[in-house]
């Protein structure tokens, strides 16, 4: 889900410093990330795109790491968090909605999720996602330990799946050749690795969204098995 660009931004090719701000430079960086991925951004290229001198980017946003941080923060902030739930039994549909929203947003900006894993949950936008999800997991009946590990597995799946889809989209022209090469290699060793051969029908026509959703269901099934039912929680609190 791409973040809509501000229609009032100056997209000229000149180097005028007027009319630019931290927000406008960040908007240009967001649009640029959609086209080349977060790692593809450089200060000079971003400045050219924004129609300013590189010093303007440094002045309004900062160095390259700071630019990438600003992009990542804006992307995560755009992930829609579902409304709070009153019934803890709705935990699964809530997490599914968050996962779909996160996948749709992150898959439009290749490189953002790997950047987040490297820098850690250090921005307000990331913290709000963690807080909301942890409250739902705890309300569903997971211990703090299980909720923490469960959230980590959940967000890793969403982020990694989205980034893989984004990477394939950026290199879509290379995909047929790579797919054919993968199939050839697997078929060459199929007799020795029959388990690997079972993947051919799925990997040869891999649907990233389907793979994301099927794996999400497997993950949520695992969370379900770790839940403590409300009746058991009530009994435990009474006897405790």
């Amino acid at each position: 889900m791409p973040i809509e660009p501000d229609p009032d931004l100056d997209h000229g090719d000149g180097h005028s410093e007027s009319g630019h701000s931290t927000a406008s430079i960040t908007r240009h960086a967001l649009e640029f990330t959609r086209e080349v991925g977060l790692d593809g951004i450089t200060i000079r290229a971003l400045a050219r795109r924004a129609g300013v001198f590189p010093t303007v980017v440094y002045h309004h946003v900062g160095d390259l790491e700071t630019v990438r941080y600003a992009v990542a923060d804006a992307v995560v902030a755009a992930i829609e968090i579902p409304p709070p739930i009153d019934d803890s039994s709705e935990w699964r549909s809530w997490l599914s909605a968050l996962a779909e929203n996160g996948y749709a947003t992150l898959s439009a900006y290749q490189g953002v999720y790997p950047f987040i894993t490297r820098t850690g949950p250090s921005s307000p936008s990331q913290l709000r996602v963690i807080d909301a999800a942890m409250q739902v997991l705890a309300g569903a009946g997971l211990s703090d330990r299980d909720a923490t590990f469960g959230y980590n597995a959940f967000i890793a799946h969403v982020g990694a799946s989205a980034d893989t889809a984004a990477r394939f989209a950026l290199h879509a022209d290379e995909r047929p050749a790579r797919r054919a090469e993968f199939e050839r290699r697997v078929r060459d060793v199929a007799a020795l690795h029959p388990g690997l051969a079972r993947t051919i029908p799925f990997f040869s026509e891999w649907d990233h969204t389907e793979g994301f959703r099927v794996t999400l269901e497997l993950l949520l099934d695992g969370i379900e098995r770790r839940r403590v039912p409300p009746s058991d929680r009530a009994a435990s609190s009474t006897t405790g």
Side-chain angles (χ1 to χ4, degrees), residues 173-198:
D173 56 328
E174 303 173 8
R175 190 173 180 184
R178 290 184 176 182
R179 178 187 298 159
E181 176 62 15
F182 170 79
E183 291 183 21
R184 185 191 65 77
R185 290 184 178 182
V186 172
R187 293 186 193 283
D188 286 346
V189 298
L192 295 175
H193 303 282
L196 181 61
R198 291 174 179 269

mmCIF file with all atom_site columns, all heavy atoms in Angstrom, residues 173-198:
data_model
loop_
_atom_site.group_PDB
_atom_site.id
_atom_site.type_symbol
_atom_site.label_atom_id
_atom_site.label_alt_id
_atom_site.label_comp_id
_atom_site.label_asym_id
_atom_site.label_entity_id
_atom_site.label_seq_id
_atom_site.pdbx_PDB_ins_code
_atom_site.Cartn_x
_atom_site.Cartn_y
_atom_site.Cartn_z
_atom_site.occupancy
_atom_site.B_iso_or_equiv
_atom_site.pdbx_formal_charge
_atom_site.auth_seq_id
_atom_site.auth_comp_id
_atom_site.auth_asym_id
_atom_site.auth_atom_id
_atom_site.pdbx_PDB_model_num
ATOM 1   N N   . ASP A 1 173 ? 11.641 -8.456  -14.060 1.00 0.00 ? 173 ASP A N   1
ATOM 2   C CA  . ASP A 1 173 ? 12.139 -8.866  -15.365 1.00 0.00 ? 173 ASP A CA  1
ATOM 3   C C   . ASP A 1 173 ? 13.118 -10.037 -15.274 1.00 0.00 ? 173 ASP A C   1
ATOM 4   O O   . ASP A 1 173 ? 13.314 -10.770 -16.244 1.00 0.00 ? 173 ASP A O   1
ATOM 5   C CB  . ASP A 1 173 ? 12.817 -7.681  -16.067 1.00 0.00 ? 173 ASP A CB  1
ATOM 6   C CG  . ASP A 1 173 ? 13.941 -7.077  -15.238 1.00 0.00 ? 173 ASP A CG  1
ATOM 7   O OD1 . ASP A 1 173 ? 13.824 -7.101  -13.997 1.00 0.00 ? 173 ASP A OD1 1
ATOM 8   O OD2 . ASP A 1 173 ? 14.908 -6.576  -15.821 1.00 0.00 ? 173 ASP A OD2 1
ATOM 9   N N   . GLU A 1 174 ? 13.719 -10.232 -14.089 1.00 0.00 ? 174 GLU A N   1
ATOM 10  C CA  . GLU A 1 174 ? 14.680 -11.323 -13.916 1.00 0.00 ? 174 GLU A CA  1
ATOM 11  C C   . GLU A 1 174 ? 14.011 -12.608 -13.435 1.00 0.00 ? 174 GLU A C   1
ATOM 12  O O   . GLU A 1 174 ? 14.637 -13.676 -13.433 1.00 0.00 ? 174 GLU A O   1
ATOM 13  C CB  . GLU A 1 174 ? 15.753 -10.914 -12.900 1.00 0.00 ? 174 GLU A CB  1
ATOM 14  C CG  . GLU A 1 174 ? 16.510 -9.642  -13.267 1.00 0.00 ? 174 GLU A CG  1
ATOM 15  C CD  . GLU A 1 174 ? 17.430 -9.202  -12.145 1.00 0.00 ? 174 GLU A CD  1
ATOM 16  O OE1 . GLU A 1 174 ? 17.582 -9.969  -11.169 1.00 0.00 ? 174 GLU A OE1 1
ATOM 17  O OE2 . GLU A 1 174 ? 17.993 -8.102  -12.227 1.00 0.00 ? 174 GLU A OE2 1
ATOM 18  N N   . ARG A 1 175 ? 12.768 -12.506 -13.025 1.00 0.00 ? 175 ARG A N   1
ATOM 19  C CA  . ARG A 1 175 ? 12.103 -13.625 -12.368 1.00 0.00 ? 175 ARG A CA  1
ATOM 20  C C   . ARG A 1 175 ? 11.953 -14.868 -13.239 1.00 0.00 ? 175 ARG A C   1
ATOM 21  O O   . ARG A 1 175 ? 12.230 -15.983 -12.779 1.00 0.00 ? 175 ARG A O   1
ATOM 22  C CB  . ARG A 1 175 ? 10.748 -13.165 -11.846 1.00 0.00 ? 175 ARG A CB  1
ATOM 23  C CG  . ARG A 1 175 ? 10.067 -14.178 -10.941 1.00 0.00 ? 175 ARG A CG  1
ATOM 24  C CD  . ARG A 1 175 ? 8.805  -13.613 -10.326 1.00 0.00 ? 175 ARG A CD  1
ATOM 25  N NE  . ARG A 1 175 ? 8.152  -14.576 -9.465  1.00 0.00 ? 175 ARG A NE  1
ATOM 26  C CZ  . ARG A 1 175 ? 7.002  -14.366 -8.858  1.00 0.00 ? 175 ARG A CZ  1
ATOM 27  N NH1 . ARG A 1 175 ? 6.390  -13.202 -9.015  1.00 0.00 ? 175 ARG A NH1 1
ATOM 28  N NH2 . ARG A 1 175 ? 6.456  -15.291 -8.089  1.00 0.00 ? 175 ARG A NH2 1
ATOM 29  N N   . PRO A 1 176 ? 11.497 -14.757 -14.489 1.00 0.00 ? 176 PRO A N   1
ATOM 30  C CA  . PRO A 1 176 ? 11.328 -15.982 -15.302 1.00 0.00 ? 176 PRO A CA  1
ATOM 31  C C   . PRO A 1 176 ? 12.612 -16.789 -15.448 1.00 0.00 ? 176 PRO A C   1
ATOM 32  O O   . PRO A 1 176 ? 12.606 -18.021 -15.338 1.00 0.00 ? 176 PRO A O   1
ATOM 33  C CB  . PRO A 1 176 ? 10.856 -15.428 -16.659 1.00 0.00 ? 176 PRO A CB  1
ATOM 34  C CG  . PRO A 1 176 ? 10.191 -14.129 -16.320 1.00 0.00 ? 176 PRO A CG  1
ATOM 35  C CD  . PRO A 1 176 ? 11.024 -13.559 -15.210 1.00 0.00 ? 176 PRO A CD  1
ATOM 36  N N   . ALA A 1 177 ? 13.732 -16.103 -15.683 1.00 0.00 ? 177 ALA A N   1
ATOM 37  C CA  . ALA A 1 177 ? 15.007 -16.807 -15.859 1.00 0.00 ? 177 ALA A CA  1
ATOM 38  C C   . ALA A 1 177 ? 15.430 -17.483 -14.560 1.00 0.00 ? 177 ALA A C   1
ATOM 39  O O   . ALA A 1 177 ? 15.911 -18.623 -14.563 1.00 0.00 ? 177 ALA A O   1
ATOM 40  C CB  . ALA A 1 177 ? 16.085 -15.835 -16.320 1.00 0.00 ? 177 ALA A CB  1
ATOM 41  N N   . ARG A 1 178 ? 15.243 -16.795 -13.437 1.00 0.00 ? 178 ARG A N   1
ATOM 42  C CA  . ARG A 1 178 ? 15.629 -17.380 -12.149 1.00 0.00 ? 178 ARG A CA  1
ATOM 43  C C   . ARG A 1 178 ? 14.749 -18.577 -11.812 1.00 0.00 ? 178 ARG A C   1
ATOM 44  O O   . ARG A 1 178 ? 15.213 -19.574 -11.259 1.00 0.00 ? 178 ARG A O   1
ATOM 45  C CB  . ARG A 1 178 ? 15.525 -16.318 -11.057 1.00 0.00 ? 178 ARG A CB  1
ATOM 46  C CG  . ARG A 1 178 ? 16.585 -15.229 -11.146 1.00 0.00 ? 178 ARG A CG  1
ATOM 47  C CD  . ARG A 1 178 ? 16.483 -14.276 -9.975  1.00 0.00 ? 178 ARG A CD  1
ATOM 48  N NE  . ARG A 1 178 ? 17.549 -13.282 -10.001 1.00 0.00 ? 178 ARG A NE  1
ATOM 49  C CZ  . ARG A 1 178 ? 17.722 -12.345 -9.066  1.00 0.00 ? 178 ARG A CZ  1
ATOM 50  N NH1 . ARG A 1 178 ? 16.899 -12.285 -8.037  1.00 0.00 ? 178 ARG A NH1 1
ATOM 51  N NH2 . ARG A 1 178 ? 18.707 -11.483 -9.170  1.00 0.00 ? 178 ARG A NH2 1
ATOM 52  N N   . ARG A 1 179 ? 13.463 -18.465 -12.128 1.00 0.00 ? 179 ARG A N   1
ATOM 53  C CA  . ARG A 1 179 ? 12.539 -19.569 -11.866 1.00 0.00 ? 179 ARG A CA  1
ATOM 54  C C   . ARG A 1 179 ? 12.927 -20.790 -12.681 1.00 0.00 ? 179 ARG A C   1
ATOM 55  O O   . ARG A 1 179 ? 12.952 -21.915 -12.166 1.00 0.00 ? 179 ARG A O   1
ATOM 56  C CB  . ARG A 1 179 ? 11.118 -19.137 -12.192 1.00 0.00 ? 179 ARG A CB  1
ATOM 57  C CG  . ARG A 1 179 ? 10.077 -20.246 -11.989 1.00 0.00 ? 179 ARG A CG  1
ATOM 58  C CD  . ARG A 1 179 ? 8.735  -19.777 -12.504 1.00 0.00 ? 179 ARG A CD  1
ATOM 59  N NE  . ARG A 1 179 ? 8.272  -18.625 -11.757 1.00 0.00 ? 179 ARG A NE  1
ATOM 60  C CZ  . ARG A 1 179 ? 7.360  -17.762 -12.218 1.00 0.00 ? 179 ARG A CZ  1
ATOM 61  N NH1 . ARG A 1 179 ? 6.860  -17.931 -13.427 1.00 0.00 ? 179 ARG A NH1 1
ATOM 62  N NH2 . ARG A 1 179 ? 6.970  -16.754 -11.483 1.00 0.00 ? 179 ARG A NH2 1
ATOM 63  N N   . ALA A 1 180 ? 13.242 -20.572 -13.946 1.00 0.00 ? 180 ALA A N   1
ATOM 64  C CA  . ALA A 1 180 ? 13.629 -21.680 -14.822 1.00 0.00 ? 180 ALA A CA  1
ATOM 65  C C   . ALA A 1 180 ? 14.913 -22.340 -14.331 1.00 0.00 ? 180 ALA A C   1
ATOM 66  O O   . ALA A 1 180 ? 15.043 -23.569 -14.343 1.00 0.00 ? 180 ALA A O   1
ATOM 67  C CB  . ALA A 1 180 ? 13.805 -21.173 -16.253 1.00 0.00 ? 180 ALA A CB  1
ATOM 68  N N   . GLU A 1 181 ? 15.862 -21.528 -13.870 1.00 0.00 ? 181 GLU A N   1
ATOM 69  C CA  . GLU A 1 181 ? 17.123 -22.068 -13.359 1.00 0.00 ? 181 GLU A CA  1
ATOM 70  C C   . GLU A 1 181 ? 16.891 -22.879 -12.085 1.00 0.00 ? 181 GLU A C   1
ATOM 71  O O   . GLU A 1 181 ? 17.489 -23.943 -11.897 1.00 0.00 ? 181 GLU A O   1
ATOM 72  C CB  . GLU A 1 181 ? 18.096 -20.924 -13.084 1.00 0.00 ? 181 GLU A CB  1
ATOM 73  C CG  . GLU A 1 181 ? 19.417 -21.343 -12.459 1.00 0.00 ? 181 GLU A CG  1
ATOM 74  C CD  . GLU A 1 181 ? 20.240 -22.271 -13.332 1.00 0.00 ? 181 GLU A CD  1
ATOM 75  O OE1 . GLU A 1 181 ? 19.936 -22.386 -14.550 1.00 0.00 ? 181 GLU A OE1 1
ATOM 76  O OE2 . GLU A 1 181 ? 21.180 -22.896 -12.811 1.00 0.00 ? 181 GLU A OE2 1
ATOM 77  N N   . PHE A 1 182 ? 16.004 -22.389 -11.210 1.00 0.00 ? 182 PHE A N   1
ATOM 78  C CA  . PHE A 1 182 ? 15.685 -23.120 -9.982  1.00 0.00 ? 182 PHE A CA  1
ATOM 79  C C   . PHE A 1 182 ? 15.075 -24.480 -10.314 1.00 0.00 ? 182 PHE A C   1
ATOM 80  O O   . PHE A 1 182 ? 15.472 -25.512 -9.749  1.00 0.00 ? 182 PHE A O   1
ATOM 81  C CB  . PHE A 1 182 ? 14.716 -22.308 -9.119  1.00 0.00 ? 182 PHE A CB  1
ATOM 82  C CG  . PHE A 1 182 ? 14.161 -23.076 -7.955  1.00 0.00 ? 182 PHE A CG  1
ATOM 83  C CD1 . PHE A 1 182 ? 14.913 -23.256 -6.802  1.00 0.00 ? 182 PHE A CD1 1
ATOM 84  C CD2 . PHE A 1 182 ? 12.892 -23.631 -8.009  1.00 0.00 ? 182 PHE A CD2 1
ATOM 85  C CE1 . PHE A 1 182 ? 14.402 -23.979 -5.721  1.00 0.00 ? 182 PHE A CE1 1
ATOM 86  C CE2 . PHE A 1 182 ? 12.377 -24.349 -6.942  1.00 0.00 ? 182 PHE A CE2 1
ATOM 87  C CZ  . PHE A 1 182 ? 13.138 -24.520 -5.799  1.00 0.00 ? 182 PHE A CZ  1
ATOM 88  N N   . GLU A 1 183 ? 14.108 -24.477 -11.223 1.00 0.00 ? 183 GLU A N   1
ATOM 89  C CA  . GLU A 1 183 ? 13.460 -25.734 -11.592 1.00 0.00 ? 183 GLU A CA  1
ATOM 90  C C   . GLU A 1 183 ? 14.467 -26.719 -12.183 1.00 0.00 ? 183 GLU A C   1
ATOM 91  O O   . GLU A 1 183 ? 14.429 -27.915 -11.894 1.00 0.00 ? 183 GLU A O   1
ATOM 92  C CB  . GLU A 1 183 ? 12.339 -25.462 -12.595 1.00 0.00 ? 183 GLU A CB  1
ATOM 93  C CG  . GLU A 1 183 ? 11.154 -24.732 -12.009 1.00 0.00 ? 183 GLU A CG  1
ATOM 94  C CD  . GLU A 1 183 ? 10.047 -24.561 -13.018 1.00 0.00 ? 183 GLU A CD  1
ATOM 95  O OE1 . GLU A 1 183 ? 10.013 -25.319 -14.014 1.00 0.00 ? 183 GLU A OE1 1
ATOM 96  O OE2 . GLU A 1 183 ? 9.217  -23.666 -12.815 1.00 0.00 ? 183 GLU A OE2 1
ATOM 97  N N   . ARG A 1 184 ? 15.358 -26.212 -13.019 1.00 0.00 ? 184 ARG A N   1
ATOM 98  C CA  . ARG A 1 184 ? 16.351 -27.084 -13.648 1.00 0.00 ? 184 ARG A CA  1
ATOM 99  C C   . ARG A 1 184 ? 17.237 -27.724 -12.593 1.00 0.00 ? 184 ARG A C   1
ATOM 100 O O   . ARG A 1 184 ? 17.499 -28.937 -12.625 1.00 0.00 ? 184 ARG A O   1
ATOM 101 C CB  . ARG A 1 184 ? 17.210 -26.285 -14.634 1.00 0.00 ? 184 ARG A CB  1
ATOM 102 C CG  . ARG A 1 184 ? 18.200 -27.144 -15.417 1.00 0.00 ? 184 ARG A CG  1
ATOM 103 C CD  . ARG A 1 184 ? 19.199 -26.297 -16.173 1.00 0.00 ? 184 ARG A CD  1
ATOM 104 N NE  . ARG A 1 184 ? 20.056 -25.530 -15.278 1.00 0.00 ? 184 ARG A NE  1
ATOM 105 C CZ  . ARG A 1 184 ? 21.092 -26.049 -14.588 1.00 0.00 ? 184 ARG A CZ  1
ATOM 106 N NH1 . ARG A 1 184 ? 21.355 -27.357 -14.687 1.00 0.00 ? 184 ARG A NH1 1
ATOM 107 N NH2 . ARG A 1 184 ? 21.833 -25.292 -13.809 1.00 0.00 ? 184 ARG A NH2 1
ATOM 108 N N   . ARG A 1 185 ? 17.700 -26.936 -11.642 1.00 0.00 ? 185 ARG A N   1
ATOM 109 C CA  . ARG A 1 185 ? 18.592 -27.464 -10.601 1.00 0.00 ? 185 ARG A CA  1
ATOM 110 C C   . ARG A 1 185 ? 17.889 -28.491 -9.730  1.00 0.00 ? 185 ARG A C   1
ATOM 111 O O   . ARG A 1 185 ? 18.466 -29.532 -9.376  1.00 0.00 ? 185 ARG A O   1
ATOM 112 C CB  . ARG A 1 185 ? 19.110 -26.309 -9.740  1.00 0.00 ? 185 ARG A CB  1
ATOM 113 C CG  . ARG A 1 185 ? 20.098 -25.392 -10.453 1.00 0.00 ? 185 ARG A CG  1
ATOM 114 C CD  . ARG A 1 185 ? 20.626 -24.339 -9.506  1.00 0.00 ? 185 ARG A CD  1
ATOM 115 N NE  . ARG A 1 185 ? 21.609 -23.472 -10.151 1.00 0.00 ? 185 ARG A NE  1
ATOM 116 C CZ  . ARG A 1 185 ? 22.256 -22.500 -9.523  1.00 0.00 ? 185 ARG A CZ  1
ATOM 117 N NH1 . ARG A 1 185 ? 22.027 -22.263 -8.246  1.00 0.00 ? 185 ARG A NH1 1
ATOM 118 N NH2 . ARG A 1 185 ? 23.137 -21.773 -10.179 1.00 0.00 ? 185 ARG A NH2 1
ATOM 119 N N   . VAL A 1 186 ? 16.637 -28.202 -9.364  1.00 0.00 ? 186 VAL A N   1
ATOM 120 C CA  . VAL A 1 186 ? 15.903 -29.132 -8.517  1.00 0.00 ? 186 VAL A CA  1
ATOM 121 C C   . VAL A 1 186 ? 15.635 -30.438 -9.255  1.00 0.00 ? 186 VAL A C   1
ATOM 122 O O   . VAL A 1 186 ? 15.780 -31.532 -8.690  1.00 0.00 ? 186 VAL A O   1
ATOM 123 C CB  . VAL A 1 186 ? 14.578 -28.494 -8.050  1.00 0.00 ? 186 VAL A CB  1
ATOM 124 C CG1 . VAL A 1 186 ? 13.720 -29.534 -7.321  1.00 0.00 ? 186 VAL A CG1 1
ATOM 125 C CG2 . VAL A 1 186 ? 14.857 -27.320 -7.121  1.00 0.00 ? 186 VAL A CG2 1
ATOM 126 N N   . ARG A 1 187 ? 15.247 -30.338 -10.505 1.00 0.00 ? 187 ARG A N   1
ATOM 127 C CA  . ARG A 1 187 ? 14.975 -31.559 -11.265 1.00 0.00 ? 187 ARG A CA  1
ATOM 128 C C   . ARG A 1 187 ? 16.241 -32.406 -11.437 1.00 0.00 ? 187 ARG A C   1
ATOM 129 O O   . ARG A 1 187 ? 16.189 -33.637 -11.480 1.00 0.00 ? 187 ARG A O   1
ATOM 130 C CB  . ARG A 1 187 ? 14.383 -31.206 -12.636 1.00 0.00 ? 187 ARG A CB  1
ATOM 131 C CG  . ARG A 1 187 ? 13.009 -30.577 -12.546 1.00 0.00 ? 187 ARG A CG  1
ATOM 132 C CD  . ARG A 1 187 ? 12.388 -30.362 -13.918 1.00 0.00 ? 187 ARG A CD  1
ATOM 133 N NE  . ARG A 1 187 ? 11.230 -29.488 -13.848 1.00 0.00 ? 187 ARG A NE  1
ATOM 134 C CZ  . ARG A 1 187 ? 10.032 -29.861 -13.418 1.00 0.00 ? 187 ARG A CZ  1
ATOM 135 N NH1 . ARG A 1 187 ? 9.848  -31.106 -13.024 1.00 0.00 ? 187 ARG A NH1 1
ATOM 136 N NH2 . ARG A 1 187 ? 9.035  -29.011 -13.387 1.00 0.00 ? 187 ARG A NH2 1
ATOM 137 N N   . ASP A 1 188 ? 17.389 -31.755 -11.530 1.00 0.00 ? 188 ASP A N   1
ATOM 138 C CA  . ASP A 1 188 ? 18.652 -32.479 -11.684 1.00 0.00 ? 188 ASP A CA  1
ATOM 139 C C   . ASP A 1 188 ? 18.970 -33.323 -10.458 1.00 0.00 ? 188 ASP A C   1
ATOM 140 O O   . ASP A 1 188 ? 19.651 -34.348 -10.567 1.00 0.00 ? 188 ASP A O   1
ATOM 141 C CB  . ASP A 1 188 ? 19.802 -31.492 -11.934 1.00 0.00 ? 188 ASP A CB  1
ATOM 142 C CG  . ASP A 1 188 ? 19.770 -30.907 -13.345 1.00 0.00 ? 188 ASP A CG  1
ATOM 143 O OD1 . ASP A 1 188 ? 19.030 -31.458 -14.188 1.00 0.00 ? 188 ASP A OD1 1
ATOM 144 O OD2 . ASP A 1 188 ? 20.470 -29.902 -13.585 1.00 0.00 ? 188 ASP A OD2 1
ATOM 145 N N   . VAL A 1 189 ? 18.511 -32.879 -9.287  1.00 0.00 ? 189 VAL A N   1
ATOM 146 C CA  . VAL A 1 189 ? 18.842 -33.605 -8.050  1.00 0.00 ? 189 VAL A CA  1
ATOM 147 C C   . VAL A 1 189 ? 17.603 -34.231 -7.414  1.00 0.00 ? 189 VAL A C   1
ATOM 148 O O   . VAL A 1 189 ? 17.648 -34.683 -6.269  1.00 0.00 ? 189 VAL A O   1
ATOM 149 C CB  . VAL A 1 189 ? 19.529 -32.662 -7.029  1.00 0.00 ? 189 VAL A CB  1
ATOM 150 C CG1 . VAL A 1 189 ? 20.847 -32.138 -7.590  1.00 0.00 ? 189 VAL A CG1 1
ATOM 151 C CG2 . VAL A 1 189 ? 18.611 -31.522 -6.637  1.00 0.00 ? 189 VAL A CG2 1
ATOM 152 N N   . ALA A 1 190 ? 16.490 -34.263 -8.157  1.00 0.00 ? 190 ALA A N   1
ATOM 153 C CA  . ALA A 1 190 ? 15.227 -34.747 -7.588  1.00 0.00 ? 190 ALA A CA  1
ATOM 154 C C   . ALA A 1 190 ? 15.340 -36.179 -7.075  1.00 0.00 ? 190 ALA A C   1
ATOM 155 O O   . ALA A 1 190 ? 14.750 -36.528 -6.042  1.00 0.00 ? 190 ALA A O   1
ATOM 156 C CB  . ALA A 1 190 ? 14.121 -34.648 -8.631  1.00 0.00 ? 190 ALA A CB  1
ATOM 157 N N   . ALA A 1 191 ? 16.084 -37.018 -7.767  1.00 0.00 ? 191 ALA A N   1
ATOM 158 C CA  . ALA A 1 191 ? 16.205 -38.409 -7.335  1.00 0.00 ? 191 ALA A CA  1
ATOM 159 C C   . ALA A 1 191 ? 16.903 -38.524 -5.995  1.00 0.00 ? 191 ALA A C   1
ATOM 160 O O   . ALA A 1 191 ? 16.593 -39.391 -5.187  1.00 0.00 ? 191 ALA A O   1
ATOM 161 C CB  . ALA A 1 191 ? 16.963 -39.208 -8.403  1.00 0.00 ? 191 ALA A CB  1
ATOM 162 N N   . LEU A 1 192 ? 17.870 -37.646 -5.749  1.00 0.00 ? 192 LEU A N   1
ATOM 163 C CA  . LEU A 1 192 ? 18.604 -37.667 -4.482  1.00 0.00 ? 192 LEU A CA  1
ATOM 164 C C   . LEU A 1 192 ? 17.862 -36.932 -3.379  1.00 0.00 ? 192 LEU A C   1
ATOM 165 O O   . LEU A 1 192 ? 18.065 -37.219 -2.193  1.00 0.00 ? 192 LEU A O   1
ATOM 166 C CB  . LEU A 1 192 ? 19.979 -37.026 -4.677  1.00 0.00 ? 192 LEU A CB  1
ATOM 167 C CG  . LEU A 1 192 ? 20.941 -37.754 -5.616  1.00 0.00 ? 192 LEU A CG  1
ATOM 168 C CD1 . LEU A 1 192 ? 22.219 -36.930 -5.795  1.00 0.00 ? 192 LEU A CD1 1
ATOM 169 C CD2 . LEU A 1 192 ? 21.280 -39.138 -5.057  1.00 0.00 ? 192 LEU A CD2 1
ATOM 170 N N   . HIS A 1 193 ? 17.007 -35.972 -3.759  1.00 0.00 ? 193 HIS A N   1
ATOM 171 C CA  . HIS A 1 193 ? 16.309 -35.157 -2.766  1.00 0.00 ? 193 HIS A CA  1
ATOM 172 C C   . HIS A 1 193 ? 14.816 -35.107 -3.093  1.00 0.00 ? 193 HIS A C   1
ATOM 173 O O   . HIS A 1 193 ? 14.296 -34.077 -3.540  1.00 0.00 ? 193 HIS A O   1
ATOM 174 C CB  . HIS A 1 193 ? 16.881 -33.736 -2.740  1.00 0.00 ? 193 HIS A CB  1
ATOM 175 C CG  . HIS A 1 193 ? 18.348 -33.680 -2.478  1.00 0.00 ? 193 HIS A CG  1
ATOM 176 N ND1 . HIS A 1 193 ? 18.879 -33.842 -1.213  1.00 0.00 ? 193 HIS A ND1 1
ATOM 177 C CD2 . HIS A 1 193 ? 19.408 -33.495 -3.309  1.00 0.00 ? 193 HIS A CD2 1
ATOM 178 C CE1 . HIS A 1 193 ? 20.198 -33.747 -1.280  1.00 0.00 ? 193 HIS A CE1 1
ATOM 179 N NE2 . HIS A 1 193 ? 20.539 -33.540 -2.534  1.00 0.00 ? 193 HIS A NE2 1
ATOM 180 N N   . PRO A 1 194 ? 14.115 -36.207 -2.855  1.00 0.00 ? 194 PRO A N   1
ATOM 181 C CA  . PRO A 1 194 ? 12.687 -36.262 -3.203  1.00 0.00 ? 194 PRO A CA  1
ATOM 182 C C   . PRO A 1 194 ? 11.852 -35.237 -2.437  1.00 0.00 ? 194 PRO A C   1
ATOM 183 O O   . PRO A 1 194 ? 10.832 -34.765 -2.942  1.00 0.00 ? 194 PRO A O   1
ATOM 184 C CB  . PRO A 1 194 ? 12.281 -37.697 -2.848  1.00 0.00 ? 194 PRO A CB  1
ATOM 185 C CG  . PRO A 1 194 ? 13.315 -38.145 -1.854  1.00 0.00 ? 194 PRO A CG  1
ATOM 186 C CD  . PRO A 1 194 ? 14.585 -37.482 -2.269  1.00 0.00 ? 194 PRO A CD  1
ATOM 187 N N   . GLY A 1 195 ? 12.286 -34.892 -1.244  1.00 0.00 ? 195 GLY A N   1
ATOM 188 C CA  . GLY A 1 195 ? 11.556 -33.874 -0.484  1.00 0.00 ? 195 GLY A CA  1
ATOM 189 C C   . GLY A 1 195 ? 11.622 -32.527 -1.170  1.00 0.00 ? 195 GLY A C   1
ATOM 190 O O   . GLY A 1 195 ? 10.630 -31.795 -1.247  1.00 0.00 ? 195 GLY A O   1
ATOM 191 N N   . LEU A 1 196 ? 12.796 -32.206 -1.665  1.00 0.00 ? 196 LEU A N   1
ATOM 192 C CA  . LEU A 1 196 ? 12.974 -30.939 -2.370  1.00 0.00 ? 196 LEU A CA  1
ATOM 193 C C   . LEU A 1 196 ? 12.135 -30.912 -3.643  1.00 0.00 ? 196 LEU A C   1
ATOM 194 O O   . LEU A 1 196 ? 11.570 -29.873 -4.010  1.00 0.00 ? 196 LEU A O   1
ATOM 195 C CB  . LEU A 1 196 ? 14.454 -30.741 -2.723  1.00 0.00 ? 196 LEU A CB  1
ATOM 196 C CG  . LEU A 1 196 ? 14.835 -29.449 -3.451  1.00 0.00 ? 196 LEU A CG  1
ATOM 197 C CD1 . LEU A 1 196 ? 14.505 -28.236 -2.601  1.00 0.00 ? 196 LEU A CD1 1
ATOM 198 C CD2 . LEU A 1 196 ? 16.330 -29.465 -3.792  1.00 0.00 ? 196 LEU A CD2 1
ATOM 199 N N   . ALA A 1 197 ? 12.026 -32.061 -4.309  1.00 0.00 ? 197 ALA A N   1
ATOM 200 C CA  . ALA A 1 197 ? 11.261 -32.131 -5.553  1.00 0.00 ? 197 ALA A CA  1
ATOM 201 C C   . ALA A 1 197 ? 9.791  -31.792 -5.328  1.00 0.00 ? 197 ALA A C   1
ATOM 202 O O   . ALA A 1 197 ? 9.109  -31.307 -6.236  1.00 0.00 ? 197 ALA A O   1
ATOM 203 C CB  . ALA A 1 197 ? 11.382 -33.525 -6.161  1.00 0.00 ? 197 ALA A CB  1
ATOM 204 N N   . ARG A 1 198 ? 9.294  -32.031 -4.118  1.00 0.00 ? 198 ARG A N   1
ATOM 205 C CA  . ARG A 1 198 ? 7.894  -31.723 -3.807  1.00 0.00 ? 198 ARG A CA  1
ATOM 206 C C   . ARG A 1 198 ? 7.589  -30.230 -3.887  1.00 0.00 ? 198 ARG A C   1
ATOM 207 O O   . ARG A 1 198 ? 6.434  -29.825 -3.994  1.00 0.00 ? 198 ARG A O   1
ATOM 208 C CB  . ARG A 1 198 ? 7.535  -32.227 -2.414  1.00 0.00 ? 198 ARG A CB  1
ATOM 209 C CG  . ARG A 1 198 ? 7.489  -33.739 -2.277  1.00 0.00 ? 198 ARG A CG  1
ATOM 210 C CD  . ARG A 1 198 ? 7.260  -34.143 -0.835  1.00 0.00 ? 198 ARG A CD  1
ATOM 211 N NE  . ARG A 1 198 ? 7.182  -35.594 -0.683  1.00 0.00 ? 198 ARG A NE  1
ATOM 212 C CZ  . ARG A 1 198 ? 6.066  -36.301 -0.746  1.00 0.00 ? 198 ARG A CZ  1
ATOM 213 N NH1 . ARG A 1 198 ? 4.912  -35.672 -0.959  1.00 0.00 ? 198 ARG A NH1 1
ATOM 214 N NH2 . ARG A 1 198 ? 6.075  -37.607 -0.592  1.00 0.00 ? 198 ARG A NH2 1
#
